[in-house]
């Protein structure tokens, strides 16, 4: 029986291993993590992450050929294939601070694998890592190998949160990078044999190590670039009276471009886009390519500009001050169908409004009060370190009230900001919301989910990103 062990029980490791266990009943899969609370949650009815369809898969396999354990060393030493899915946060100090990936957790995982291994192993990079990480890991393993053979593979994940289970069951592609040596090719084949039990052969791509590592960064950079491109257009649409929804639809019908990732919004979030682009920028700079680095930096700059623009619209619309005004925040996760708040645009929007002394009432169907308070008080990049290294109990932001109902959040509010595109926000009783708000009542739709004309008929003053401006907003500055 092939034994697989995955180090890291997060958004990548957990779902990926659950699907491998489901589709490969003859393979024993163990997910290990040093976080006791996280492993306890994986072994309970309340999984530590929310992902549609994940519960069912875990329940089908757990205890049969899928196990979750804190006994890291035992399961690593017994495994034939070790997936490493640990955090690679952005460095906060030292060389490359603010851009380069911090490989502390990767390095300690590699050293531990070398220490406990008694047999040959295939080590698979699953977390997003900078180009040439495999080479560094290879050096650590080789110099500590005690005669044991290690083959390093790069197998980046291409999951979208909210659809991760479907992405794993029917992937566009599975990418495996390895050494172009007989041993390297044999290792690639061994991993290919696992995936080919449910993924068609023509969708399993094999490359050299560096191409696989760079392909992941490139894919995320291209996707983020599309969002920044349409968001840059949204600013121009507002200035000219064009409608960004119509523009992006017209652009998306071009078969060379396609419609995906062309929805304008308050900005992109998630654990990968910003981090991977900063990483790409750093690698370009290190390789003497400042013009290329500058090009990719612009994608991040437009994303920050979009969030600032949104906050400025809110403040300038409401007589240039939101001090002591109650603002309802609908949605805190970075997108619908996930409870993930990593790099969510809601953090910067909320901080911007708090900076102007607003009182916030926040509702999200999947995000806890503890998480929201943690996000609003944490330093940038701290979120990507393991939870036991994050601040234990965040200091509560007194101007923030977290509630469990959209109507409660909006009661007596001066304005409503929609920051996540949860389906329920499309069907709220906006007449009821309007009746219970302070007047004039404002809606700032950061996700273009509301029916603008309907809201205006009710009496709202509406700002919707990239849409023709409400007469109220026309003479107000977009940027402070």
């Amino acid at each position: 029986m092939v034994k697989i062990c995955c180090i890291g029980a997060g958004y990548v490791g957990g779902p990926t291993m659950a699907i491998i266990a489901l589709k490969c009943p003859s393979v024993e899969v163990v997910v290990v993590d040093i976080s006791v609370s996280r492993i306890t949650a994986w072994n309970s009815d309340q999984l530590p992450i929310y992902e549609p369809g994940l519960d069912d898969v875990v329940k089908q396999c757990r205890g049969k050929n899928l196990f979750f354990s804190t006994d890291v060393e035992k399961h690593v030493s017994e495994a034939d294939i070790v997936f490493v899915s640990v955090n690679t946060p952005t460095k906060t100090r030292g060389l490359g601070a603010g851009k380069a990936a911090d490989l502390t957790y990767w390095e300690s995982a590699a050293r531990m694998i070398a220490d406990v291994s008694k047999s040959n192993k295939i080590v698979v990079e699953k977390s997003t890592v900078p180009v040439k990480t495999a080479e560094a890991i290879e050096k650590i393993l080789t110099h500590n190998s005690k005669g044991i053979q290690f083959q390093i593979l790069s197998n980046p994940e291409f999951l979208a949160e909210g659809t991760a289970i479907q992405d794993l069951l029917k992937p566009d592609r599975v990418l495996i990078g390895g050494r172009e040596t007989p041993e390297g090719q044999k290792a690639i084949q061994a991993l290919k044999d696992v995936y080919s039990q449910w993924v068609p052969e023509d969708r399993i791509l094999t490359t050299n190590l560096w191409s696989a590592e760079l392909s992941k960064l490139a894919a995320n950079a291209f996707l983020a670039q599309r969002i920044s491109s349409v968001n840059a257009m949204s600013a121009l649409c507002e200035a000219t009276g064009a409608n960004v929804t119509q523009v992006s639809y017209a652009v998306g019908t071009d078969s060379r471009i396609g419609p995906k990732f062309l929805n304008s919004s308050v900005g992109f979030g998630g654990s990968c886009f910003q981090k991977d682009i900063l990483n790409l920028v750093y690698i370009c700079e290190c390789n003497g390519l400042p013009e290329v680095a500058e090009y990719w930096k612009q994608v991040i700059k437009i994303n920050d500009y979009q969030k600032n623009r949104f906050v400025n619209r809110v403040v300038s619309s409401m007589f240039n001050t939101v001090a002591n005004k109650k603002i309802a925040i609908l949605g805190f996760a970075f997108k619908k169908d996930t409870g993930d708040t990593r790099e969510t645009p809601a953090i910067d929007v909320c901080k911007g409004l708090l900076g102007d002394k607003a009182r916030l009432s926040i509702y999200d169907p999947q995000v806890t009060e503890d998480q929201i308070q943690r996000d609003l008080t944490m330093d940038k990049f701290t979120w990507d370190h393991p939870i036991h290294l994050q601040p234990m109990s965040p200091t509560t932001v007194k101007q923030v009230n977290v509630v469990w109902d959209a109507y409660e959040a909006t009661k007596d509010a001066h304005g409503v900001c929609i920051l996540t595109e949860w389906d329920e926000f499309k069907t709220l009783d906006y007449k009821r919301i309007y009746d219970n708000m302070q007047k004039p009542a404002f809606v700032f739709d950061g996700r273009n989910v509301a029916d603008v004309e309907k809201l205006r008929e009710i009496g709202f003053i509406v700002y919707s990103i990239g849409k023709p401006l409400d007469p109220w907003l026309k003479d107000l500055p977009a940027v402070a």
Side-chain angles (χ1 to χ4, degrees), residues 172-194:
D172 290 341
R173 76 297 204 192
V174 169
L175 184 58
I176 304 171
R179 285 287 189 197
E180 289 156 318
T181 59
E183 298 79 18
Q185 294 304 301
K186 197 173 159 195
I188 287 174
Q189 190 57 49
L191 188 54
K192 210 172 165 183
D193 290 344
V194 173

Side-chain angles (χ1 to χ4, degrees), residues 47-223:
L47 300 186
I49 61 176
Y50 172 72
E51 189 63 52
L54 178 62
D55 268 20
D56 293 342
V57 176
V58 170
K59 279 172 186 157
Q60 275 185 67
C61 305
R62 195 170 55 197
K64 294 176 187 163
N65 68 328
L66 175 64
F67 305 92
F68 298 92
S69 171
T70 52
D71 197 342
V72 180
E73 296 187 357
K74 172 183 185 285
H75 293 291
V76 168
S77 75
E78 291 174 358
D80 305 299
I81 303 174
V82 179
F83 284 82
V84 184
S85 188
V86 297
N87 305 55
T88 49
T90 304
K91 283 182 78 172
T92 52
R93 53 173 67 89
L95 187 65
K99 291 194 285 268
D102 181 346
L103 297 180
T104 309
Y105 309 115
W106 242 107
E107 186 178 332
S108 60
R111 289 182 185 280
M112 183 270 295
I113 293 168
D115 284 346
V116 304
S117 293
K118 297 178 182 66
S119 57
N120 295 348
K121 297 207 183 318
I122 297 170
V123 178
V124 184
E125 291 179 343
K126 198 67 191 163
S127 31
T128 305
V129 291
V131 186
K132 301 281 183 170
T133 299
E135 200 169 63
I137 302 308
E138 212 166 43
K139 283 175 182 161
I140 290 168
L141 291 171
T142 311
H143 285 281
N144 293 279
S145 68
K146 299 171 289 220
I148 292 165
Q149 297 294 306
F150 293 102
Q151 285 301 319
I152 315 294
L153 299 179
S154 173
N155 174 219
E157 53 83 18
F158 295 101
L159 306 179
E161 284 178 49
T163 58
I165 297 302
Q166 283 311 307
D167 295 341
L168 285 161
L169 289 170
K170 294 180 177 166
D172 290 341
R173 76 297 204 192
V174 169
L175 184 58
I176 304 171
R179 285 287 189 197
E180 289 156 318
T181 59
E183 298 79 18
Q185 294 304 301
K186 197 173 159 195
I188 287 174
Q189 190 57 49
L191 188 54
K192 210 172 165 183
D193 290 344
V194 173
Y195 283 112
S196 61
Q197 294 191 47
W198 80 95
V199 180
E201 190 81 15
D202 61 349
R203 293 205 176 175
I204 304 176
L205 315 180
T206 58
T207 65
N208 69 27
L209 273 173
W210 322 140
S211 298
E213 289 179 332
L214 190 53
S215 296
K216 169 64 180 177
L217 294 183
N220 278 344
F222 275 51
L223 291 172

